[in-house]
Structure formats: C-alpha cells, structure tokens
Amino acid sequence: MSNPVADAARKHPPPEGHVYTYGTAGFRTKADVLDSVLTRVGLIAALRSRKLGGRYVGVMITASHNPPQDNGVKLVEPMGDMLEESWEAISTEMANQTSPEAVSEYYQCVAEEQKIDLSKPANVIVARDTRASGARLLGCLVDGLKAAGAEYRDFGFLTTPQLHYMVRCFNTADTPDAYGVPTEAGYYEKFSAAFKKAMGSNKPNGGLTVDCANGVGGPKLNELIKYLHVTETGLEISVVNDNVVKPEALNVDCGADYVKTNQRAPPTSKTGPGDRCCSLDGDADRVVYYFKDDQNVFRLLDGDRIATLVASFFGDLVRTSGLADQIKIGVVQTAYANGAATDYVEKNLRLPVTCTPTGVKYLHHAAQKLDIGVYFEANGHGTAIFSHSTLNAIKNYKPKSPSEAENLEILRACIDLINQAVGDALSDFLLVEVVLAHKRWGPQEWLATYTDLPNRLLKVLVSDRTIFKTTDAERKLTSPEGVQGQIDKEVQKFRQGRSFARASGTEDAVRVYAEAATKAEAEDLARKVAEIVKAAGGK
Ligand code: 16G
Ligand code: MG
C-alpha cells in the first residue's frame, strides 16, 4: 500500500543522533541538519490547518538574526500569532521521529488524538528569508505538504511579519475584521496609506538611515519606499546594508542584533551627529534606533525606548480624542527591560507594566488582555495591539470638538499603521517616525525622557541548560537549588542593583543580566552572578 507520508520522510532522513526542539521562535540550527525537520513541519502544518477547520496557517523559513549558515522554521497561527504551545510539543516530537514508519505512525496518532479528519482540506502559506539554504529547505517543506495533501501558496521571499500579515489577511477575507489585501502590494499600500494619514501635516525632522542587516528587509523596504512618496511625506529614507546577492553578508557586522549586543553602530555607518538611524534584523521583525550625540558618542534607542515613546503617544491621543475613560493602556516588558524604563512608564506615564518571560508569544498574550497593549522586548521585538472592544470604541466614537476629531483620525490611522499580527520592523519604524514628527522631537529629545541604568549582559556556556529553571517571569531561579539565594546576596551589595540568570531558549547557554547605579557596578555584579552560574553548571 502506498504511504506518501512515509515516502516523504524517507526522502529526507534526519542526521543520526540529532535532537531538535521547537524553541521560542521555532526550530533553529545549522541549515545542513534541517532537511528532515522541514518535511516534518510540512506534515504538522497540514495537521494544524485541518485541526482549525482548514483555516490558513503559515510556515516561515528563517533564522532571523542568526549567522548565514543557520536556518530555521516556524509556524504561524491563523490570526498571525505564534504557534499554540501544545503544538510546539507535537512539532518537537514529530521532528525527532527517526524512521519513515515512525513519522507516518506519529502523523496518524496526532490525527487520532486531535480528532482530525485527514480527508478535509488543509491550507498553508509559505515564505522564506534570503538565506542560501532557503530554496533547498523549501523543497523539503513542500514534500511534506504534498505528502499530507495540503494546498499551499508559496510567497517566495517575505519578511517574517509580511508572512504573518498574509496569513491573517487570508483568514479574515470577506469578514468585518478583514485585515488587508493578501498580496505584497496590498501590504505596502495598507501601511503606506496609514503612514501618510498618521503623519497628517507633520513633517519629519531630517532623514532616516535604515540598516537592513543584508537580509530580506532590504528589498522589501526598497519596495515600500516606492509607496511612501517622499515628496508627500517628507520622509527621506537611506537604505544601507541591503545586499542580498551576497548571502554570506547576512547579519555580519550589521543589523539590530549587532547594534544591540555591541552597543555600537555598524562599522559601515557614515551618519553624523543627531542623524536618526535604525537597524532591522535578518527577517525584519526587530528594530532598534540609534544616533551619535553632539560629542559623537553612540546612543541607543532600543525596544524599551520605542515602547515608552509609543505608549506616551497613545496615552496623549486617547486623552485628546476624548476616549480616556473608556480605554486603558498598558505596557508589557520582559525582565531585560531597563529598570529606568519600567520606572518611567509607571511613574511618569502612569501606566501599568506587566512583566512576562522572554519570547514574543508571552508578551503578545499578555498584551491581548489589555485595551491597548504596547509590548516590546529590549532587543526591538514588539508592537501594539488593540482589543476588539477598543477597536469598536475608537471606530464608533463621535468626537465632541474639531480637535477631538483630528486626534481621533490620527489614532485610527495608527491602528492601521501597526502590524497587529506581530512586531514588524517596517511598520514599527514608520510608527516611531510618526510619533517623533508629531512631538517635533529628534533622537536627543527622545533620549532625554529618562536615563538608562548602566547594565551588562553576559553569556555563560553550560553543559545542560535545562537544569536552570525559573519563576516570576524568569526573574528568579528555582533550580539548581540555592543558586538564587547566592544571587540575591550579591545583588544586595549594589546600589540600584538588579540581576537575574535564565537559560537561553535559542542556544546552550545561561544569560546573566545585571544593572546597577554605575557602569562599573553593573559590570561587577554581572561578573559575580556569572561566576555563581558557572559554579552551578558551567562547562
Ligand atoms: C527568540 C525570540 C525573541 C527572544 C529571543 C531570546 C520570538 C519570535 N523570538 O529570538 O523574542 O528575545 O529568542 O533568545 O519569539 P534567548 O532565549 O536565546 O535569550
Ligand atoms: Mg527576527
């Protein structure tokens, strides 16, 4: 009897002894050990779509900010959210089946357990970033999709957020919540039109340089620029590091991760004091801003800064359009948020802050509980989302004055400007530009809102990261026993000291974060905590 599922698995056997995990952002590792995973993800995508009554699910082939030789794959839910957690475990188990027969048995077993009718349609949307291995891995994925009898549409190269956008558009087409036209042009039209409206008559103060990490964001931004019409908006964008013809240049000495980790501009950067710059990561779902101050010193405006800027703008807009008593705004951060940013949101903006574990899905879920949830990781991942009732309130509100009407229009345009499916570097930087233009701020005024506490991030290589278990949104270790007590003791010795250690979700390491009143103290505290971690399980 023919068994297409087993046949597809046979065509792409896994390397011996490799164990895969669906981590915070899907499977991610060296591209040359991923073929078998892609085929199996194809099977899972088909099962997931069938489980959801044939709604479209997405598959994105990318390893984001990782080096060029890596690749990865993640699944996207119908509204553009990250894969549901119980299906992460199913995906992991599928990826680790070794023989073709075991793959086929597990496929049947998931269908049975989840009560999935395998004769029903499955719909999958696929895209990839510009990595050299992408085309081969796409082939492996398609073999899985075909074996499972799924209908699929391949969008070729897209940024991760564009893929999320497509998935949400397909699933909301012909409904009152229609998200947009599910084409690349539809994406550019939606966001550029919203940008123009949100800017109103305001003009940006000087141009913006965008570093695209030599990734897929480069060609996509060049396309978007055609829709932004600089003569209308006044936003001059210089695109740098957009070389996708040389895939080995991806994320090398450029991009959001480089800038955030090294706290410096890419070496190729040629901008002068006060010039606004931002960097995207390899799949354009992260963005950080930076500039050189009058003394030519590099200044970073990271995800925390974007969150505070956006939250303060929405706070103003909600108030000035007369909606303050109906709509409450909240900010969602992770433990990596600088203590000064948290303080600023709570004390100056007077907005509540929620802290969640690292990983977009946790922030997104927490933000979904708020009327307007602004969520950002310090590394530049984030967006703002609006609850259903908030959207309705904003849509139906009858302004009581011309000024309320004007602000309401801007608020409505901002809703369209934000990619609510997921953090989107392109839409995020357009939003930042809108806010800066409205406030008539340059980067210096933005930076002056608060002063970051000096901080230090260290990485400790460990033999088994799974022994490091945390609670309280990753701020406290529960295992190995006694380690948290030692960390607490160190922290107490430092002025404004705060530190935590958590296992990375993407590599075999424990990350240590520390902040304190001075740079020297932050460094010292980080080193001390790293030593404690090393003693507890270091390599
Ligand atoms: C992944 C996450 C990112 C998180 C990072 C932490 C998504 C889409 N991406 O890249 O949000 O900041 O992992 O890495 O969720 P770490 O666990 O190695 O520190
Ligand atoms: Mg990314």
Side-chain angles (χ1 to χ4, degrees):
M1 216 174 69
S2 85
N3 183 342
V5 169
D7 291 347
R10 189 169 298 113
K11 194 169 159 195
H12 303 290
E16 217 160 288
H18 205 97
V19 179
Y20 301 96
T21 315
Y22 195 103
T24 35
F27 295 105
R28 198 183 289 182
T29 180
K30 297 277 163 276
D32 53 9
V33 294
L34 273 171
D35 291 29
S36 63
V37 173
L38 268 287
T39 306
R40 290 136 202 256
V41 166
L43 301 173
I44 292 291
L47 286 168
R48 184 69 187 142
S49 171
R50 288 193 172 107
K51 170 76 186 176
L52 299 169
R55 297 182 86 199
Y56 291 85
V57 298
V59 179
M60 182 71 198
I61 303 174
T62 178
S64 185
H65 58 276
N66 283 41
Q69 61 277 18
D70 288 9
N71 214 328
V73 61
K74 53 188 165 190
L75 287 150
V76 175
E77 295 274 355
M79 288 308 276
D81 304 19
M82 306 282 164
L83 182 65
E84 194 198 281
E85 220 157 327
S86 63
W87 279 73
E88 291 184 0
I90 294 175
S91 304
T92 295
E93 204 161 335
M94 178 62 104
N96 289 309
Q97 302 295 331
T98 45
S99 73
E101 293 71 28
V103 170
S104 162
E105 265 165 41
Y106 188 63
Y107 178 76
Q108 293 293 338
C109 159
V110 174
E112 224 160 88
E113 272 178 10
Q114 299 279 334
K115 302 195 176 40
I116 293 168
D117 182 346
L118 292 173
S119 67
K120 289 276 165 64
N123 290 295
V124 181
I125 295 168
V126 180
R128 65 187 200 270
D129 71 14
T130 50
R131 285 163 198 271
S133 57
R136 187 190 82 241
L137 293 176
L138 172 69
C140 302
L141 172 72
V142 166
D143 283 341
L145 291 169
K146 282 186 178 159
E151 290 287 325
Y152 71 94
R153 283 172 202 244
D154 171 21
F155 272 88
F157 301 113
L158 288 182
T159 69
T160 293
Q162 284 181 320
L163 183 270
H164 286 249
Y165 165 90
M166 296 301 171
V167 173
R168 187 158 170 156
C169 287
F170 273 107
N171 286 305
T172 53
D174 305 319
T175 73
D177 297 326
Y179 192 57
V181 180
T183 60
E184 249 194 89
Y187 173 95
Y188 301 125
E189 272 157 15
K190 173 174 172 161
F191 291 102
S192 58
F195 176 68
K196 288 174 200 168
K197 254 201 181 151
M199 282 298 259
S201 55
N202 298 281
K203 291 280 174 261
N205 178 7
L208 172 71
T209 300
V210 186
D211 154 28
C212 298
N214 292 321
V216 66
K220 301 309 175 189
L221 173 57
N222 283 316
E223 202 52 36
L224 173 63
I225 287 172
K226 295 182 194 157
Y227 292 76
L228 288 173
H229 301 128
V230 60
T231 45
E232 234 176 283
T233 60
L235 181 60
E236 280 297 342
I237 300 176
S238 318
V239 183
V240 297
N241 299 323
D242 60 342
N243 185 352
V244 291
V245 179
K246 223 174 102 193
E248 65 275 20
L250 174 69
N251 297 323
V252 176
D253 289 344
C254 59
D257 201 58
Y258 174 90
V259 171
K260 172 77 183 159
T261 313
N262 297 295
Q263 309 259 328
R264 76 167 88 102
T268 49
S269 173
K270 293 198 181 67
T271 52
D275 291 343
R276 293 193 307 291
C277 308
C278 68
S279 285
L280 321 181
D281 72 337
D283 62 339
D285 63 354
R286 272 169 69 174
V287 62
V288 294
Y289 268 71
Y290 49 95
F291 69 105
K292 283 185 207 142
D293 67 14
D294 297 342
Q295 269 80 48
N296 235 5
V297 176
F298 170 85
R299 299 289 192 164
L300 181 65
L301 295 153
D302 62 4
D304 295 345
R305 296 281 179 174
I306 299 177
T308 52
L309 184 76
V310 168
S312 94
F313 186 59
F314 283 152
D316 292 347
L317 276 183
V318 162
R319 204 175 45 251
T320 51
S321 42
L323 283 156
D325 47 358
Q326 293 184 51
I327 298 173
K328 299 282 168 257
I329 303 172
V331 174
V332 184
Q333 305 176 323
T334 71
Y336 290 110
N338 195 280
T342 312
D343 243 35
Y344 175 77
V345 175
E346 288 179 337
K347 304 209 174 107
N348 292 57
L349 303 181
R350 294 177 189 280
L351 299 176
V353 175
T354 316
C355 183
T356 73
T358 301
V360 169
K361 64 183 173 209
Y362 299 111
L363 290 107
H364 191 89
H365 288 155
Q368 278 173 331
K369 299 195 180 110
L370 302 162
D371 295 344
I372 300 180
V374 178
Y375 73 86
F376 271 88
E377 290 188 316
N379 65 20
H381 251 139
T383 187
I385 54 178
F386 297 73
S387 74
H388 223 264
S389 61
T390 304
L391 289 174
N392 279 333
I394 294 173
K395 195 162 133 198
N396 299 327
Y397 183 71
K398 303 265 178 299
K400 298 192 181 57
S401 69
S403 124
E404 275 195 8
E406 202 179 304
N407 290 307
L408 192 64
E409 271 316 294
I410 295 161
L411 183 58
R412 287 176 180 156
C414 285
I415 292 173
D416 284 337
L417 179 57
I418 292 165
N419 189 340
Q420 293 190 51
V422 74
D424 180 335
L426 300 181
S427 114
D428 284 345
F429 90 65
L430 290 178
L431 180 63
V432 168
E433 291 299 311
V434 164
V435 181
L436 293 178
H438 275 268
K439 289 184 181 280
R440 309 218 187 307
W441 278 4
Q444 191 63 58
E445 287 81 12
W446 181 9
L447 184 75
T449 47
Y450 63 87
T451 307
D452 272 324
L453 279 171
N455 59 88
R456 179 78 178 150
L457 188 61
L458 290 177
K459 183 164 90 174
V460 182
L461 297 179
V462 293
S463 14
D464 179 9
R465 66 175 141 139
T466 61
I467 64 167
F468 292 87
K469 297 199 173 65
T470 56
T471 181
D472 189 22
E474 300 181 321
R475 288 175 289 195
K476 294 225 159 346
L477 281 168
T478 52
S479 145
E481 231 191 294
V483 175
Q484 187 58 46
Q486 295 174 45
I487 296 177
D488 290 342
K489 243 194 211 150
E490 278 308 323
V491 169
Q492 276 171 17
K493 298 180 193 159
F494 291 83
R495 291 176 302 146
Q496 293 179 277
R498 182 170 76 91
S499 181
F500 64 92
R502 59 171 275 279
S504 156
T506 61
E507 49 181 320
D508 284 322
V510 168
R511 296 197 201 287
V512 170
Y513 175 88
E515 63 187 32
T518 62
K519 187 89 201 138
E521 285 170 284
E523 304 259 350
D524 198 18
L525 178 56
R527 224 175 13 250
K528 296 250 166 64
V529 174
E531 273 161 25
I532 296 171
V533 170
K534 228 177 273 169
K539 249 187 190 163

